Amino acid sequence: MTPSEVLIEAFSRVPETVERAVDGLSEDQLAARPAAGANTLAWLAWHIARGQDVQIADLAGTAQVWTADGWYERFGLPFPAEALGYGMSRDDVGRVRASAELLTGYLRAVHDRTVAYLGTLGPDDLDPVVDDAWDPPVTAGARLVSILDDCTQHAGQAGFVRGLLFFNR
């Protein structure tokens, strides 16, 4: 496998994991918290897609799916278009309300854009520095691994939250 194919395989597991976590749940269930102040399934699914969307768009030099493809308007969340979940208050987390279909639709659209971008990469495309504010500076390859790590951690959290809320009673 090429590095591009490995990344595509890894990123392709994220939507599947999220879809299993939110499948069949109502908007109210997706907005439930396993404990006071904890993240909701809706917020986790939305944040996974937003974080990936923002960072892949930056790497690819493209517009975000969120704004370019009308997802911001479809969600109708009470946040500015640039919001992606980092640093949100507990109250803001609770304001992320959406259907499972909307959440997974956006994530799938982001995933499609991610796969299209990853498919253009050759091994030498992973080496350029994309952020020199860190020591060591961050390469495109390191940034992709960071995005994937964040997505998989939150996808695992979503599965755990679903289990806590609906299978441990």
Side-chain angles (χ1 to χ4, degrees):
M1 293 179 86
T2 67
S4 175
E5 291 168 334
V6 169
L7 288 165
I8 290 169
E9 175 65 28
F11 271 95
S12 294
R13 295 171 187 223
V14 173
E16 295 167 3
T17 301
V18 173
E19 287 168 359
R20 281 192 305 274
V22 303
D23 183 52
L25 299 180
S26 69
E27 202 170 298
D28 286 339
Q29 289 172 315
L30 292 167
R33 297 178 191 248
N39 292 329
T40 67
L41 283 165
W43 183 88
L44 287 164
W46 172 77
H47 174 65
I48 290 166
R50 285 296 295 132
Q52 185 175 336
D53 190 7
V54 168
Q55 294 184 83
I56 294 294
D58 184 55
L59 286 172
T62 61
Q64 296 173 27
V65 173
W66 182 243
T67 50
D69 295 351
W71 291 98
Y72 173 66
E73 290 81 13
R74 281 182 245 177
F75 272 76
L77 297 176
F79 313 119
E82 61 272 4
L84 63 142
Y86 292 114
M88 282 189 157
S89 70
R90 292 175 181 181
D91 288 341
D92 284 342
V93 167
R95 289 183 182 98
V96 177
R97 292 188 58 94
S99 69
E101 293 77 21
L102 189 62
L103 292 162
T104 58
Y106 174 47
L107 180 55
R108 281 286 173 187
V110 169
H111 176 70
D112 290 346
R113 181 77 57 89
T114 298
V115 168
Y117 167 68
L118 294 173
T120 69
L121 298 179
D124 293 340
D125 296 321
L126 301 175
D127 294 332
V129 171
V130 297
D131 187 348
D132 60 6
W134 298 90
D135 185 20
V138 179
T139 64
R143 177 61 46 88
L144 287 166
V145 169
S146 176
I147 297 165
L148 180 60
D149 180 55
D150 190 61
C151 289
T152 56
Q153 285 189 55
H154 285 311
Q157 290 168 1
F160 184 70
V161 167
R162 180 184 176 115
L164 286 174
L165 287 171
F166 304 110
F167 297 108
N168 288 334
R169 294 185 183 217

